[in-house]
Amino acid sequence: MSSASACTPYELYSKESGKSYGNQPLSICDESFTPLEVRYDLEAARSIFTRKNIEAGPANIWRYRGLLPIPEGFEPDLPVGFTPLVKAKNLGRRLGSNNLYVKNDAVCFPTLSFKDRVVAVALANARAFGFETVGCSSTGNLANAVAAQSARLGLKACILVPADLEPAKILNTLVYGARLVRIDGNYDHVNRLCSLIADQYNWGFVNVNLRPYYSEGSKTVGYEIAEQLGWKLPDNVVCPMAGGSLIRKIKKAFDELIYLGLVEAKHVRFFGAQATGCSPISQAVKGNTDVITPQKPDTIARSLAIGNPADGPYASRLIRETGGWAEDVSDVEIVSGIQELAEAEGIFTETAGGVTTAVTARLIAQGRISPDELTVSVITGNGLKTTDCINDRFTVGRAVRPRLADFEDYINELDGNSAPAEPELAIAGGN
Ligand SMILES: *Cc1c(COP(=O)(O)O)cnc(C)c1O
């Protein structure tokens, strides 16, 4: 194996109890009852995870395989990730920043959300652990990613979602042939049921018993931001939060890059974004505590609607320790955020991206983010999946007859300088 495709030795361990678990499908420490993490031999990584090896790799997340938990013998070949980092000049001008970037996972391959990254890494481990069936509890995007990637890997899939999920996310799961079970309850009910199923059957649930491996996939967002900035770190990251895993893992990625000398050390501040209708982490940050008070979600941002977030305490602590902040926005602001990003940058994001954009706007308005600081707003999903939330903001115009005069009348109408309408008869008579 060449060093460019080598992996660093890794194992599961608990930060709290210090206990090691080797590699197995397990997510919670049996002594401290806290989430398990993947730990790498970072000294061994010094000769493996180098800029040279990364740059020689493919233009997708597997260029970072040196610090991903990929079991021996698994040869990843799905081109997930390496999405654009876009300088958002227009949006920045509107919001009052002249150094704003958008990380655009609305176009992540294959299912148009950042969840493709976590699923790719989790499913790389499925066969090594002897799973023929995989699944997840999902608020939508994860369901799409598991369904698509399990189809390609030839694994059976069983996916559980809250019954009220957006129709596009349901269809985007069924089309791949996955078994979909709609649960009469919210995400937290679904997630508890999945834990019971995982115990009962020998199935790999990407965000339950495979969760430590899954969440490592989120690090690739952080690696890409640093590499795309020319191996530099930003001043600020604004990140949407559901379970609170992504924001933690972007931080972990930056810390690893600094530790291994791939970027210069820099203090990055982390800002979390939630919808007010499901804001347990932002409430904890505002209350200056790690203690999460669970909520019953009620928001159009369904992909972020986790009322009892597994990584919530860690996310709250990390935000406060880095000198960042968390904000939450109303459903009306979420829709405005979607429109703002679309009109300014030509990027159509889903409700989660509306949350991130609206929160970024508020943080700049509050002066928590300064105009000259390099700020990355993390856009995580595609607007075509949540069209039902914005349909009523647009009126589809009447059909226009294929004549120049009719076209001109109509354009004038749209632009708001319509001349008094001519009588219907006179127009008809002109032919
Ligand atoms: C899952 C998801 C998130 C949040 O991820 P966590 O790691 O659970 O905090 C953000 N945006 C979108 C679109 C998602 O689907």
Side-chain angles (χ1 to χ4, degrees), residues 81-155:
F82 221 70
T83 57
L85 181 73
V86 184
K87 174 114 204 209
K89 283 197 193 129
N90 302 329
L91 182 65
R93 201 175 302 123
R94 284 187 186 213
L95 305 187
S97 163
N98 43 45
N99 212 355
L100 182 64
Y101 287 78
V102 166
K103 179 62 175 164
N104 186 12
D105 264 13
V107 292
C108 199
F109 183 79
T111 65
L112 308 178
S113 89
F114 104 91
K115 290 296 198 305
D116 286 318
R117 302 170 182 273
V118 288
V119 169
V121 175
L123 292 190
N125 289 277
R127 287 218 200 272
F129 290 141
F131 295 126
E132 295 296 328
T133 297
V134 295
C136 62
S137 56
S138 173
T139 55
N141 286 314
L142 188 60
N144 302 166
V146 170
Q149 295 191 40
S150 61
R152 187 163 184 276
L153 289 168
L155 294 160

Side-chain angles (χ1 to χ4, degrees), residues 113-115 139-142 169 211 214 218 240-247 281 303-304 306 350 352-353 380-382:
S113 89
F114 104 91
K115 290 296 198 305
T139 55
N141 286 314
L142 188 60
K169 285 178 178 163
R211 187 172 174 87
Y214 152 105
S218 292
M241 303 184 293
S245 171
L246 174 60
I247 192 166
I281 308 177
S303 55
L304 303 181
I306 298 184
E350 68 149 87
T380 46
N382 193 292

Side-chain angles (χ1 to χ4, degrees), residues 145-331:
V146 170
Q149 295 191 40
S150 61
R152 187 163 184 276
L153 289 168
L155 294 160
K156 276 185 258 167
C158 183
I159 287 160
L160 286 82
V161 298
D164 67 349
L165 214 59
E166 297 97 328
K169 285 178 178 163
I170 300 272
L171 188 64
N172 262 305
T173 305
L174 293 173
V175 72
Y176 304 106
R179 282 172 293 171
L180 179 75
V181 184
R182 289 169 62 237
I183 299 297
D184 193 9
N186 63 31
Y187 175 81
D188 299 289
H189 299 125
V190 177
N191 201 43
R192 267 196 299 278
L193 177 60
C194 283
S195 297
L196 298 176
I197 299 170
D199 285 346
Q200 195 73 31
Y201 300 77
N202 189 35
W203 290 1
F205 279 87
V206 300
N207 58 337
V208 181
N209 48 356
L210 292 171
R211 187 172 174 87
Y213 301 98
Y214 152 105
S215 61
E216 284 294 289
S218 292
K219 288 194 308 186
T220 58
V221 175
Y223 295 146
E224 288 177 19
I225 289 171
E227 186 177 357
Q228 289 169 324
L229 288 173
W231 294 111
K232 284 201 185 76
L233 299 183
D235 295 305
N236 308 308
V237 172
V238 185
C239 182
M241 303 184 293
S245 171
L246 174 60
I247 192 166
R248 287 187 71 198
K249 294 296 173 156
I250 295 176
K251 164 80 168 143
K252 186 179 184 190
F254 290 176
D255 288 345
E256 288 170 345
L257 293 174
I258 292 171
Y259 184 86
L260 296 172
L262 274 70
V263 298
E264 239 174 70
K266 180 171 182 182
H267 182 80
V268 181
R269 293 188 302 162
F270 284 81
F271 296 86
Q274 294 206 293
T276 302
C278 183
S279 50
I281 308 177
S282 74
Q283 292 308 323
V285 170
K286 289 174 178 179
N288 197 27
T289 174
D290 294 348
V291 179
I292 299 294
T293 307
Q295 292 183 3
K296 201 165 163 269
D298 179 17
T299 170
I300 57 169
R302 305 237 178 87
S303 55
L304 303 181
I306 298 184
N308 192 10
D311 289 289
Y314 299 99
S316 173
R317 189 183 315 163
L318 132 73
I319 289 167
R320 289 176 299 118
E321 280 179 356
T322 62
W325 187 245
E327 274 296 343
D328 48 87
V329 289
S330 69
D331 286 357

Side-chain angles (χ1 to χ4, degrees), residues 345-392:
E345 301 298 340
I347 293 171
F348 185 19
T349 184
E350 68 149 87
T351 46
V355 168
T356 309
T357 304
V359 165
T360 302
R362 190 183 292 175
L363 292 166
I364 294 169
Q366 288 173 340
R368 292 184 193 274
I369 287 178
S370 305
D372 291 332
E373 292 171 347
L374 200 167
T375 300
V376 177
S377 180
V378 181
I379 297 301
T380 46
N382 193 292
L384 291 172
K385 296 194 194 187
T386 59
T387 50
D388 43 323
C389 300
I390 57 165
N391 265 335
D392 60 0

